[in-house]
Amino acid sequence: MTMASDSYAVQLDEMIQLFQEYKSGSVTLDNITKLCQTLGLESFIDNIDAETSRLSTASKIIVIDIDFSKTIGRVKDVKLVLASNFDNFNYFNGPVVQLNKDGTNKEGSNILLNSLTQYPDLHQFHYNLKFLYLLDTFSSINIDANNSNGTNNSAGGESSGELDLFKYFTELAQFLRQYFADHGAPFKVVTNLDNKFGIYIFTQLSPVLLAKITFEKSRDAQQRLYEYVYYEGNKEWINESPENFTSGVSIVMEVNDETNQTWFPQDYLPKELVLDEGDSNTKSDALSPNDFMTSINVSASRGKFKVMNDFTTQLVPLKKFDISNDNTELIIEILKWIQWSRSVLYPIYETLNAPEGESTAGDADKEGTVTANGPQGKHGSVTTEHRKRRYSSKKTRSSVTEANMLKEEGLQQFNLQELMTDHDTDLNHQATERANSDLLGVDKMQVDEQVIDDSDTTCQLIFSEDHVSLENIAQCTLYDDMAKWDSFIEAFKAFSIST
């Protein structure tokens, strides 16, 4: 009977949360009070004076005072106080300048106040309130000085020592800034953005939002969260206090895919770290990874390019990852892949998948032969066969983590492209000898026509999840810096439009 009632309570709670997110209600004192009570916060209203009513809502740590104007029926002010020794929690927008619809500056403004005055409903405030309540629920701190054993989190998870998630969230942003600086990672960290709590990561030069880091309830209520901190001395993330932890909550990194999708190699990260595989069909014009691979295999030889598909794994649209504890060491690798995917892989795909009016796929019905400018003509002996490799089901390509480990130990890696170089060279040499032999039997006019046809010869593009190369013109890998990526894309686009 107890298990059935517990299951009913969980399902009811989920239904209430879905309803709140779907229709959170207008911004009235009564709706705000009900919303706070639904989350389990203690709430009461005081009449401060003839003009102002104050809603005070509180839990174990947080105390929120909301002043409401009786005359105009609007929120006047919101203050957050923490019942702990930490009083530097930041509930203001970060240093990135954001503008309201009316053009006013929101930088450094009160998130809680804005979420109750700048929106027509309580959706934004509900998001922020849930975040604060999560930190409150899973923090393990000693509020009562007489309780030397600390305070267990009210969610029922195991805890030991003290772990103040409000303090950890605040310090984590600074740890990330130092972590990026020490490793030469070109990323900018902003705490809170556009009236939402979170740690937001942008590109350094032209600010583009890549990902958001926040706290979420764990799938496993027994999963422990330790306070990993970043030390400048050894440039590592360290758990300096193993006795301090809480359970049932995780640090989560979510990819921003509002403008660009990001596809990851299927085995890029351990499956237990993947929390959300995303949905490539969330946008009507979105391209799925399967479409991407099919396009490479079937119709990628266009214009001046003859594509060799060197992918060794499938691509999947991953969106959210668990970066708790020592998984923080993967943050730079994930961010670099996001940039590689968007800066190199997708631009190449867009060029290869250009409309037929711009580049022609040619005739693919003649035993796999595809030419750059249409069907194979009478001088077909000089056209080269479209070649592709299917991505391997064995998934032999190593992950970024494995690659770095081998590099640190001084072990050289070879990919399939490098191993095939000598073999391809021999084949090309043999083909050249046969072509020269054939030319001995043709007249001068045929030779002149041959030279003209050679001016339109395609260039081989080797396209893989972690490296791309354009014959002897340019190449780059996931492990190169962004300057080399940009140089490759410039050379690639220059060749694609050259005559």
Side-chain angles (χ1 to χ4, degrees):
M1 183 65 180
T2 303
M3 294 181 61
S5 61
D6 289 345
S7 176
Y8 173 78
V10 170
Q11 292 180 8
L12 182 61
D13 182 62
E14 291 176 351
M15 292 175 62
I16 292 174
Q17 291 186 30
L18 288 173
F19 181 76
Q20 289 172 337
E21 292 175 2
Y22 173 72
K23 190 174 182 180
S24 50
S26 58
V27 184
T28 66
L29 185 60
D30 185 54
N31 285 342
I32 298 172
T33 304
K34 290 178 179 178
L35 179 61
C36 294
Q37 291 173 340
T38 302
L39 289 175
L41 297 170
E42 296 181 3
S43 304
F44 56 91
I45 299 175
D46 282 339
N47 290 316
I48 303 302
D49 51 41
E51 164 63 17
T52 306
S53 294
R54 173 172 295 172
L55 167 63
S56 295
T57 184
S59 186
K60 180 177 62 180
I61 300 173
I62 61 174
V63 178
I64 304 174
D65 289 332
I66 302 173
D67 289 350
F68 200 86
S69 171
K70 298 177 184 179
T71 305
I72 61 176
R74 286 175 55 88
V75 174
K76 297 169 54 179
D77 192 18
V78 182
K79 294 181 180 178
L80 172 66
V81 178
L82 302 182
S84 65
N85 293 327
F86 183 72
D87 57 2
N88 292 324
F89 181 72
N90 181 9
Y91 59 103
F92 294 86
N93 281 309
V96 172
V97 175
Q98 300 290 322
L99 297 178
N100 292 330
K101 294 180 180 178
D102 60 2
T104 57
N105 193 347
K106 293 191 299 188
E107 181 179 354
S109 54
N110 184 329
I111 289 176
L112 296 176
L113 177 60
N114 290 346
S115 61
L116 288 172
T117 58
Q118 297 179 2
Y119 302 89
D121 55 36
L122 291 172
H123 183 80
Q124 195 86 346
F125 180 71
H126 182 217
Y127 172 90
N128 290 319
L129 189 62
K130 285 194 303 180
F131 178 77
L132 294 175
Y133 184 63
L134 181 81
L135 299 187
D136 183 292
T137 300
F138 291 97
S139 288
S140 173
I141 65 173
N142 183 11
I143 298 177
D144 185 357
N146 296 323
N147 181 6
S148 60
N149 294 323
T151 303
N152 291 334
N153 65 58
S154 58
E158 179 187 9
S159 62
S160 178
E162 292 193 10
L163 180 53
D164 186 343
L165 294 183
F166 291 92
K167 178 175 179 289
Y168 192 25
F169 171 78
T170 303
E171 295 178 343
L172 183 60
Q174 184 56 42
F175 292 150
L176 288 169
R177 292 185 185 98
Q178 190 61 50
Y179 170 55
F180 293 152
D182 288 348
H183 291 80
F187 306 118
K188 181 177 181 178
V189 179
V190 174
T191 303
N192 307 329
L193 178 70
D194 199 19
N195 297 320
K196 280 190 174 182
F197 287 112
I199 298 172
Y200 297 83
I201 301 176
F202 290 79
T203 53
Q204 186 75 51
L205 298 178
S206 55
V208 175
L209 180 60
L210 298 178
K212 171 187 174 182
I213 293 177
T214 187
F215 288 81
E216 287 188 4
K217 190 175 181 180
S218 302
R219 293 178 178 177
D220 180 4
Q222 300 305 314
Q223 178 177 325
R224 292 184 177 184
L225 175 66
Y226 293 93
E227 188 177 7
Y228 272 73
V229 299
Y230 181 77
Y231 273 96
E232 295 183 50
N234 51 14
K235 295 179 173 55
E236 291 181 351
W237 292 89
I238 296 176
N239 178 17
E240 62 177 356
S241 303
E243 70 280 2
N244 292 338
F245 66 87
T246 188
S247 59
V249 65
S250 302
I251 303 177
V252 172
M253 181 175 181
E254 183 174 357
V255 177
N256 176 45
D257 60 357
E258 291 183 359
T259 55
N260 298 93
Q261 287 186 313
T262 302
W263 306 321
F264 289 79
Q266 194 169 43
D267 293 335
Y268 190 75
L269 293 171
K271 291 183 178 179
E272 60 269 20
L273 301 187
V274 178
L275 301 178
D276 186 355
E277 294 188 359
D279 183 3
S280 61
N281 298 316
T282 53
K283 303 179 182 67
S284 59
D285 59 346
L287 178 74
S288 72
N290 289 336
D291 292 339
F292 182 89
M293 299 301 296
T294 300
S295 177
I296 295 174
N297 290 342
V298 175
S299 60
S301 277
R302 296 185 175 212
K304 296 178 176 293
F305 301 106
K306 179 181 55 179
V307 179
M308 177 179 288
N309 179 359
D310 198 27
F311 279 77
T312 64
T313 183
Q314 298 187 54
L315 299 178
V316 290
L318 305 183
K319 183 177 177 64
K320 189 182 294 185
F321 313 96
D322 185 343
I323 55 168
S324 306
N325 304 327
D326 56 350
N327 295 329
T328 50
E329 297 176 352
L330 300 175
I331 293 175
I332 288 180
E333 295 178 9
I334 295 173
L335 292 172
K336 188 161 188 178
W337 174 268
I338 295 173
Q339 288 190 296
W340 166 260
S341 173
R342 297 178 181 179
S343 302
V344 180
L345 298 188
Y346 196 77
I348 292 176
Y349 163 78
E350 285 187 313
T351 301
L352 297 178
N353 204 43
E356 292 291 338
E358 298 180 17
S359 59
T360 306
D363 185 359
D365 297 328
K366 299 186 178 182
E367 299 181 350
T369 301
V370 178
T371 63
N373 300 303
Q376 190 174 8
K378 71 175 183 177
H379 298 293
S381 60
V382 300
T383 63
T384 47
E385 191 172 282
H386 169 61
R387 298 166 58 194
K388 67 182 179 69
R389 295 180 187 147
R390 296 179 180 175
Y391 49 83
S392 171
S393 60
K394 297 180 181 180
K395 306 176 184 65
T396 56
R397 190 179 303 282
S398 58
S399 67
V400 178
T401 305
E402 293 167 342
N404 289 339
M405 292 172 60
L406 291 172
K407 182 177 180 181
E408 290 173 358
E409 298 197 10
L411 298 178
Q412 188 173 4
Q413 293 188 98
F414 296 93
N415 56 37
L416 189 56
Q417 172 196 351
E418 295 167 332
L419 294 174
M420 290 291 291
T421 299
D422 293 338
H423 180 62
D424 288 346
T425 301
D426 292 339
L427 292 178
N428 291 337
H429 180 67
Q430 294 174 15
T432 302
E433 289 183 346
R434 286 197 299 270
N436 290 338
S437 176
D438 292 341
L439 286 174
L440 294 177
V442 300
D443 57 24
K444 184 177 184 300
M445 180 62 69
Q446 289 177 308
V447 173
D448 290 341
E449 291 176 355
Q450 179 76 47
V451 173
I452 293 174
D453 287 342
D454 284 347
S455 67
D456 290 329
T457 299
T458 57
C459 182
Q460 185 180 76
L461 171 69
I462 298 179
F463 195 15
S464 165
E465 67 266 24
D466 63 357
H467 74 268
V468 289
S469 63
L470 190 62
E471 287 195 0
N472 61 344
I473 298 174
Q475 64 178 350
C476 67
T477 73
L478 169 65
Y479 316 107
D480 295 327
D481 56 35
M482 291 192 66
K484 191 166 185 180
W485 297 356
D486 293 339
S487 296
F488 176 86
I489 292 299
E490 288 178 6
F492 172 77
K493 290 183 176 179
F495 185 87
S496 68
I497 62 176
S498 61
T499 56

